[in-house]
Amino acid sequence: MISKIKGLAADFKLDNLYKNHSKLLEEADENEPSYKEFLYNILLEESNLKEEKAMKLRIKNSNLPSIKKIEDFDVNFQPEISKKKINILSELDWIDKLFKLIFMGPPGTGKTHMCLALGYKALENGYSVVFTTMNELMYTLKTKDVIKKSKVKYNRIKKAQLLLLDEVGYTPVTRDEANLFFQLIAELDEKIAMVITSNKGFGEWTEFLGDQALATAVLDRLSFRCEIFNLTGSSYRLEHRNSLF
Ligand code: ADP
Ligand code: MG
């Protein structure tokens, strides 16, 4: 009987039951739970394990460079982002509504922190998320037809529910790159939510994209259903600098 239970647990990929069947039976002998409780706990544990595994896979596929939590964002340090805004953003309705959130501002003001933290929150809630920097995105778009890894990344971006695009505007792009960027934005338009960070205001995007018409077309798409956060102040890094002495 036990070996049959083990076999069936393996067939249905019930990992906990497969590994711990004897322990579960011993515990039941000792604690005498009701039949209902016994079944429920077994199913619940399997369900938790499955979600844990799925979350790990979502994190891996998202390419998040590090984990930041929204709860760790100090709203006192950044007046543009109130506790109320944090709460609304944490509800993630903006993902279903395909909003673009754009965090702009000087270095160290928390743009990437917000981007990563919102991405993590989305992953926790089951959304598929992909992180990339603008530089990496350019590389991906230019090489997607010749490098397998780029193709995989490109396909992930197209299938994701949320794109995290960090560091737009830091390095100038060539005309071809600006075109590829526009094509992607047009392709993803109204299909995916985005969080974008930039050290440049929209006014400076024309210069960075190198072409007025192209910049207008990009901004036209980005600014529909979009929320802009102008982060200000001094660098959190500098203010919280760790010193050896
Ligand atoms: P940038 O705007 O340059 O992307 P980051 O988001 O990378 O800045 O912030 C730099 C560092 O400071 C990170 O470690 C980030 O977690 C931290 N940080 C920035 N702003 C805040 C904040 N308001 N509360 C807590 N940590 C912050
Ligand atoms: Mg940053």
Side-chain angles (χ1 to χ4, degrees):
M1 186 70 159
I2 287 291
S3 70
K4 280 183 187 161
I5 291 176
K6 236 182 120 173
L8 286 168
D11 286 350
F12 288 103
K13 298 196 167 61
L14 303 171
D15 293 353
N16 185 51
L17 188 58
Y18 177 79
K19 273 192 222 134
N20 299 322
H21 52 87
S22 359
K23 194 172 128 231
L24 288 167
L25 291 172
E26 276 163 31
E27 276 172 6
D29 270 341
E30 194 175 313
N31 302 330
E32 300 183 346
S34 68
Y35 293 133
K36 272 188 214 154
E37 229 180 307
F38 181 68
L39 271 185
Y40 175 72
N41 285 334
I42 283 182
L43 292 172
L44 183 65
E45 188 55 33
E46 295 300 340
S47 158
N48 289 344
L49 264 181
K50 283 219 157 54
E51 174 44 31
E52 221 174 273
K53 269 196 193 162
M55 175 66 177
K56 271 196 193 136
L57 189 64
R58 283 199 297 279
I59 293 180
K60 184 166 168 269
N61 288 341
S62 73
N63 248 348
L64 281 193
S66 63
I67 306 290
K68 293 276 177 186
K69 300 278 176 70
I70 197 101
E71 296 78 15
D72 296 334
F73 194 80
D74 181 357
V75 287
N76 298 316
F77 195 82
Q78 185 44 255
E80 169 74 355
I81 301 186
S82 60
K83 187 81 199 114
K84 189 174 164 200
K85 282 187 188 169
I86 292 264
N87 289 340
I88 293 174
L89 291 177
S90 298
E91 286 170 11
L92 304 181
D93 284 355
W94 54 274
I95 299 184
D96 300 324
K97 291 181 182 153
L98 305 178
F99 261 73
K100 293 121 194 159
L101 310 183
I102 306 185
F103 293 89
M104 292 171 172
T109 47
K111 302 182 295 297
T112 301
H113 186 125
M114 282 302 294
C115 176
L116 294 175
L118 290 169
Y120 189 74
K121 180 68 77 191
L123 288 168
E124 281 184 319
N125 284 273
Y127 290 97
S128 56
V129 177
V130 178
F131 174 93
T132 179
T133 62
M134 182 66 171
N135 274 343
E136 197 197 347
L137 178 67
M138 290 303 112
Y139 175 79
T140 303
L141 293 178
K142 280 187 287 185
T143 58
K144 70 177 169 25
D145 296 326
V146 283
I147 295 176
K148 176 97 188 297
K149 217 174 150 201
S150 297
K151 183 84 196 168
V152 169
K153 178 105 190 181
Y154 175 69
N155 287 337
R156 279 213 181 109
I157 290 174
K158 287 213 311 183
K159 273 194 257 154
Q161 289 166 293
L162 173 61
L163 172 65
L164 308 175
L165 178 54
D166 200 20
E167 301 191 338
V168 177
Y170 284 71
T171 31
V173 293
T174 64
R175 201 183 173 89
D176 282 350
E177 288 172 338
N179 261 312
L180 287 173
F181 183 54
F182 168 69
Q183 275 171 33
L184 181 77
I185 295 293
E187 215 174 315
L188 298 180
D189 197 25
E190 312 225 1
K191 292 199 185 99
I192 181 172
M194 295 185 201
V195 178
I196 297 176
T197 79
S198 180
N199 61 336
K200 294 193 163 58
F202 273 168
E204 295 162 279
W205 278 40
T206 302
E207 194 194 330
F208 139 74
L209 288 171
D211 180 291
Q212 175 82 54
L214 202 71
T216 309
V218 168
L219 294 183
D220 182 58
R221 281 177 172 75
L222 288 185
S223 48
F224 182 62
R225 265 186 277 187
C226 127
E227 203 62 59
I228 294 176
F229 301 85
N230 281 305
L231 306 194
T232 55
S234 52
S235 167
Y236 190 93
R237 289 192 194 95
L238 288 179
E239 300 259 329
H240 296 81
R241 195 169 69 90
N242 286 325
S243 172
L244 268 180
F245 306 104

